[in-house]
Amino acid sequence: MSPALPRWADLALIPALNLALAFLAAGLVVVFIGEDPVQAVSVLIRGSLGSSYAIGFTLFYATTFVFTGLAVAIAFHAGLFNIGGEGQAILGGIGVALAALWLDTTHWLVVLPAAIVAAALFGAAWAAIPGILAATRGSHVVITTIMFNFIASALLVYLLVNVLRVPGAMSPETRRFAEGAHLPFMHTMLGHLGIGMARTPMNIASLLALLAALGTWVLIWRTRLGYEIRAFGHSEPAAVYAGISPVRIIVVVMLISGAMAACMALNVVLGYQQRLVLEFTAGAGFVGIAVALMGRSHPFGVVLAAILFGMLYQGGAELAFEMPAISRDMIVVIQALVILFTGALERMVRGPVERLFARRPARAAT
Amino acid sequence: MDLATALAIAESSMRLAAPLLLACLAGLYSERAGIFDIGLEGKMLGAAFGAGAVAAVTGSAWIGLAAGMAVSTVLALIHGLASITFRGNQIISGVAINFLASGLTALIGQNWFGMGGQTPQLFGDQRFLAVELPLAGALRDVPVIGFLYSDFLSGFTVLVYVALLAVPLTWWVLFRTRFGLRLRAVGENPGAVDTAGISVVRLRYQAVIITGLLCGIAGAYLATGMAAGFIRDMTAGKGFIALAALIFAKWRPWPALWACLLFGFLEAIGIRYQGVTIPNVGTVPVQLMQALPYILTVVILAGFVGRAIPPRAGGKPYVKER
Amino acid sequence: MASAAQAPDAPAIELRGISKSFGPVKANEDIDLRVEPGTIHGIVGENGAGKSTLMSILYGFYQADAGEILIGGKLTPIPDSDAAIRAGIGMVHQHFMLVENFTVLENVVLGAEDGALLRPSLAKARAELTRLARDYELQVDADAVVGDLSVGFQQRVEILKALYRHADILILDEPTGVLTPAEADHLFRILRFLRDQGKTIILITHKLREIMAITDRVSVMRRGRMVATLDTARTSPPELAELMVGRRVLLRVDKGPAKPGDVLMQVRDLKVNDWQGVERLRGVSFDLRGGEILGIAGVAGNGQSELLEVLAGIRPASGGSVRFRGEALALDSVANAEARRALGIAHVPEDRHRRGLVMPFSEWENSCLGYHGEPRYAGPAWTMDRRAIRELAQAGIEKFDIRPPSVDLTTSNFSGGNQQKIVLAREIERDPDVLLVGQPTRGVDIGAIEFIHREIVALRDRGKAILLVSVELDEIQALADRIVVMFDGRISGARAAGETDERELGLLMAGIDPAERAA
């Protein structure tokens, strides 16, 4: 039994300290490759927040990470570790592309709902298989979802090379979607309201991401299903005792999680690239793990963490341009350090903090 | 299929199985001690970079091997710190180590060599080259034995033989030594080990370090034995296939050998028969061949081919109960 | 080693001023204890009195915050279990510290090997085990896999482990909890024999009967303090009980005669296999009537848990039938618990930590666990009505005197007794027709025990049926109107509560029916 911490220390202080350690370690890496970390941070912040252009890109990336982060967070609430966000996102991209290629002569108001349904169905189906295998055959979700990432990327290559490629074209990608499938960009929408903003890929999917975060909050903390998910996540025997079917919870949670990860394709494929290309996920599924851990699996935390990672991605691109020694791989390093310090090494900070707080009431009592 | 093709596939299977086998046995020590390790992939990758980079700079494959083992062991110790000392989530720690290796190798590789994350091409002594086994020449003309020994078994790099020898060695350590007894005990019931006056922490760290060393050899083999230099993300999921082999083998050394040979064989077939046409079925796409080990792993994990029961205390941090 | 150096009249163990805290909880406070060599020394106290903590300090499992330990009159710091073993201390833990897939030999050798290679160690241990078996009458098959042995034999392996390490002082923590009375008697014979050979034995228990039966001296602990050390011959169970609790205790439950009504539940030939296909329940039949408490007695692990779980709908049966008010219940699926509740079958599970409560939930969230689908908790759409749940939870807190009275407190922060009251409040509040109760007072302080027993009797007096599973024979005898004893997955006997005694029930728990033998 651990001594109880004040809520604010548990929710804010410990994550902040963990994050500080992660960035300290990242700073040491920058020093190791012979660059100035302070300068790197200033370039990073300027590059990610210094202009409406930078902010637009930052929020565009953040939108992607909200979806993949929520996907991991929802599964965490059920005690499941879905590392398959990358593969589910790939399937989501295929779904989005098929819907867009089919309907792009109509209007985006028709394409968007169809794309949402297609992405959700494809992503959910891809997550359902590991879910069903875990629920009924007892195979480990972590390993199975990792395997499904590899299988999904092989599937994407096959489809783009053999099926969806424009005949005669060299590069393995689909044709460009027609005008009717282009989502409104944020700068155009804000333009209608008389607010000026630089042209960036940020699009209407950002609003969908916020809706998704809100919906997740309602699901987890307000609905009966959310209650059952949390009960199961904390204690499977207690859930069984309460008449909650583990098979149902595992499968349903994996469906929702997979659908959520897949929705990142709305932002990237439909909102920005307007065609399906290889590697369009760019590791976003994995970023979701760091985002969920950092955001404590709470939708609000996930949104904040996603914005931070959006800053890292946008600022990191700027950084690689201005300080070439710090390539974009630095982002993966930071991501790893965030996962390490906020996830695996959490107790390194928690232990001392708990001891600190345990001493205080004792002193007050005497 | 003629004999020459069969021999080529067999040799290729063996070459591809060797790093899997080393990583698989590496995982065996850790998981038998109760520490799950999905960071085999990252440790191999880190070691491949360390070996490739140092071999290129020093000109010695052996110094490269030492460097690879050192890198891998450092990563293993991070995993130990997270899962043993700070009793963190072992899966999350493994994920972090995989990303850490992937990011750092590319970042530092680009920083040092400026070749897009690759290390320079390795030549001569910078690599482990094929070795002729003793008497291979003399035995070549003996029927059957000559073929098996001189044509098949001879002529791999020394690290392949290390991998093969690691199997009986691991079996012996596990079942015939004091260390092995304690290692198996700590993965089943750390409380029994603790109350017997043995340090659970020290024992688990020892296991994790062995895992690091073996993964280091596996990674060095990729960069300085199988290929001629380090390439970004060159492990390409081999660490996860090794993990699958470990589960398939139910955490036992000899079955681990057969499992790794099977996966090596599948990969060899995939490489050789890219886009092969099967009569009446049509062309099997390359991508399906490439995905086959992963699909097979899922099938195995689902228990359609034998059920695997992991060490009982696996994945759980040891806390003295109140 | 320790015995060689010790002065003839020095105590085997002397503890001076031992204190130990876990966070804000003071588990041990300024404890002094003297244990004379060649005696059996009992330590009694309620759950949570600090007995196990004290012994864990003596065995090097925890470090004391203050105080010192003297072994054979010599100051002996014990930083870890290794030091304890070297000081000649052996311990048999409540939960055995055995590697189940190892053989007896491997378990005995573990940690006491003679060299880096296993073979010579094993050969030596085999010879030594033969000697120990002869000297102390502790026969056991050295090559048997420990997981296949009965609990009694596993305990024997634990004792052998200690003797193999040349222990002069043997600590046993609640050793009889998992044994039949006959096995317990056998254990006591072994302990007396060991004492007569000059070993010193410390017996931790909460059963006064055992203290009276076997110890030479007894120390009583209460709330982390040592309150008395007495000669067993000069004390009595009421005196010890009063010392344990700090006030006079009623060892009986006030209840009138039962007025059995209609048969509510009919269990016929019920069979259960576990996940490995081992038959845990081998054909159990009985009737449960309204207005009676049916006690299921037996040593833990003889099928009582499985019976309770099948009836509660959280474990599938492999054969047989259960009728509730004449209607057959579905026994095939694991997710029937909700349907059972809807019929009016409530369940207080044996393990409230893992099953009965979700520990990280707040009190109000646990107040509807299992009933969370009821219309009265439903909000708009698929949501839950948090205000309604909290109000009902608050009412439950007041009615069952749950302390502290906060619906927002995290469940794990309540004491064991109050946690059990949360479960009981939830299950009794709906006035179920049948209440299935497992180990209702395990890990619960005496004040709460009385309260819980009164609530169960009150439910009976309202004409409801109660199935009580408990490994505490005292509890069964105090509460039940009818007693069914289970052994090895079967019912070994059924008696009316007033027409049987401890001795007869003890034999039935070992699978022997004295009535049959007489006939």
Side-chain angles (χ1 to χ4, degrees), chain A residues 1 29 32-34 76 81 83 129 133 136-140 142-144 146-148 150-151 154-155 157-158 161-162 286-287 289 293 324-330 332-333 335-337 339-340 343-345 347-349, chain B residues 36 38 41 78 81-83 86-89 91-93 95-97 99-100 102-104 106-108 110-112 232 236-237 240-241 243-244 247 285 287-288 290-291 293-295 297-298 301-304 307 317 322:
Chain A
M1 199 171 72
V29 172
F32 177 75
I33 57 176
F76 271 156
F81 197 169
I83 310 194
I129 306 170
L133 289 178
T136 61
R137 312 279 322 173
S139 49
H140 204 305
V142 170
I143 315 265
T144 324
I146 291 173
M147 295 299 138
F148 266 64
F150 288 108
I151 300 170
L155 178 68
V157 175
Y158 172 74
V161 169
N162 300 339
F286 298 121
V287 180
I289 299 168
L293 283 172
I326 308 176
S327 65
R328 296 200 63 172
D329 301 301
M330 187 68 211
V332 180
V333 175
Q335 182 187 326
L337 292 169
I339 295 174
L340 191 64
L345 288 172
R347 204 163 276 126
M348 190 162 83
V349 167
Chain B
F36 279 169
I38 68 165
E41 175 90 358
I78 295 176
L81 192 71
S83 30
F86 290 112
R87 306 194 305 271
N89 184 318
I91 303 278
I92 291 177
S93 168
V95 169
I97 280 162
F99 288 132
L100 197 61
S102 168
L104 278 181
L107 182 72
I108 297 175
Q110 172 65 15
N111 196 243
W112 284 356
R232 280 184 77 125
F240 295 112
I241 294 183
L243 197 61
I247 297 166
Q287 291 83 13
L288 181 61
Q290 285 165 348
Y294 307 111
I295 296 171
T297 301
V298 172
L301 278 173
F304 294 115
R307 200 125 193 90
R322 270 218 39 207

Side-chain angles (χ1 to χ4, degrees), chain B residues 12-290:
Chain B
S12 164
S13 305
M14 180 65 90
R15 270 194 297 274
L16 292 162
L20 296 180
L21 185 54
L22 285 162
C24 182
L25 294 174
L28 190 145
Y29 282 93
S30 183
E31 302 215 340
R32 276 278 188 166
I35 305 290
F36 279 169
D37 194 349
I38 68 165
L40 297 174
E41 175 90 358
K43 285 195 275 288
M44 271 166 95
L45 188 65
F49 175 75
V54 171
V57 173
T58 62
S60 160
W62 289 99
I63 300 177
L65 173 67
M69 289 167 78
V71 171
S72 169
T73 306
V74 167
L75 291 173
L77 285 174
I78 295 176
H79 188 53
L81 192 71
S83 30
I84 304 168
T85 304
F86 290 112
R87 306 194 305 271
N89 184 318
Q90 298 169 10
I91 303 278
I92 291 177
S93 168
V95 169
I97 280 162
N98 288 337
F99 288 132
L100 197 61
S102 168
L104 278 181
T105 53
L107 182 72
I108 297 175
Q110 172 65 15
N111 196 243
W112 284 356
F113 302 105
M115 296 167 63
Q118 294 191 16
T119 61
Q121 184 89 18
L122 301 178
F123 303 97
D125 284 344
Q126 297 171 331
R127 286 185 67 195
F128 287 100
L129 299 173
V131 291
E132 185 95 331
L133 288 185
L135 300 176
L139 288 170
R140 179 145 290 139
D141 295 329
V142 182
V144 188
I145 294 175
F147 178 73
L148 285 178
Y149 184 78
S150 307
D151 288 334
F152 173 63
L153 206 53
S154 181
F156 292 108
T157 70
V158 67
L159 296 184
V160 173
Y161 301 114
V162 169
L164 287 175
L165 287 176
V167 177
L169 184 67
T170 298
W171 176 84
W172 183 78
V173 166
L174 216 52
F175 297 105
R176 287 291 179 267
T177 69
R178 173 177 62 189
F179 175 70
L181 182 78
R182 294 176 171 189
L183 188 83
R184 286 182 287 136
V186 82
E188 289 289 331
N189 184 358
V193 170
D194 196 0
T195 52
I198 310 162
S199 163
V200 171
V201 169
R202 191 189 311 152
L203 200 49
R204 286 191 162 168
Y205 265 109
Q206 285 168 344
V208 163
I209 288 171
I210 296 176
T211 302
L213 294 173
L214 282 173
C215 265
I217 305 177
Y221 173 76
L222 290 180
T224 60
M226 203 148 82
F230 172 82
I231 307 163
R232 280 184 77 125
D233 291 319
M234 76 183 303
T235 41
K238 283 194 168 50
F240 295 112
I241 294 183
L243 197 61
L246 182 59
I247 297 166
F248 194 21
K250 298 185 177 144
W251 294 268
R252 291 171 302 173
W254 285 107
L257 172 65
W258 312 130
C260 290
L261 284 174
L262 172 68
F263 286 152
F265 173 71
L266 280 177
E267 211 182 331
I269 296 276
I271 292 172
R272 187 168 184 94
Y273 296 105
Q274 294 217 345
V276 70
T277 310
I278 299 174
N280 303 329
V281 179
T283 307
V284 179
V286 196
Q287 291 83 13
L288 181 61
M289 297 303 298
Q290 285 165 348

Side-chain angles (χ1 to χ4, degrees), chain C residues 109-277:
Chain C
V109 160
L110 182 67
E113 307 89 344
D114 290 298
L117 295 184
L118 222 44
R119 215 179 272 263
S121 300
L122 290 174
K124 185 191 148 197
R126 188 182 294 277
E128 182 69 8
L129 276 186
T130 316
R131 191 187 68 78
L132 289 171
R134 196 185 54 228
D135 289 358
Y136 296 106
E137 296 178 19
L138 288 166
Q139 278 79 10
V140 56
D141 176 7
D143 295 311
V145 174
V146 162
D148 298 340
L149 294 177
S150 74
V151 187
F153 271 95
Q154 291 190 4
Q155 192 173 57
R156 198 175 279 194
V157 176
E158 285 280 36
I159 296 174
L160 282 167
K161 267 169 68 179
L163 295 177
Y164 184 74
R165 287 158 172 77
H166 309 292
D168 291 318
I169 299 162
L170 197 60
I171 306 168
L172 294 104
D173 189 358
E174 301 279 359
T176 59
V178 288
L179 303 181
T180 64
E183 282 175 320
D185 284 347
H186 186 80
L187 172 71
F188 290 164
R189 272 205 302 283
I190 294 171
L191 294 184
R192 283 196 198 96
F193 189 70
L194 287 169
R195 175 191 61 191
D196 297 344
Q197 304 276 312
K199 307 277 183 196
T200 306
I201 289 158
I202 298 182
L203 179 73
I204 305 172
T205 182
H206 66 282
K207 293 179 184 166
L208 298 177
R209 192 157 22 106
E210 293 177 356
I211 291 291
M212 300 312 292
I214 186 172
T215 64
D216 300 310
R217 281 174 71 76
V218 53
S219 296
V220 185
M221 289 187 73
R222 182 171 76 223
R223 293 190 188 163
R225 291 178 174 276
M226 191 64 79
V227 291
T229 296
L230 308 159
D231 282 334
T232 311
R234 291 199 212 124
T235 184
S236 63
E239 186 189 11
L240 290 174
E242 198 178 328
L243 284 167
M244 277 165 66
V245 185
R247 62 182 168 86
R248 281 192 183 283
V249 212
L250 272 173
L251 289 172
R252 299 226 61 86
V253 178
D254 279 328
K255 70 178 171 86
K259 300 186 198 70
D262 298 337
V263 173
L264 288 182
M265 204 178 242
Q266 241 180 354
V267 177
R268 289 292 175 270
D269 200 27
L270 198 61
K271 289 183 175 136
V272 170
N273 293 339
D274 68 10
W275 62 281
Q276 287 173 310

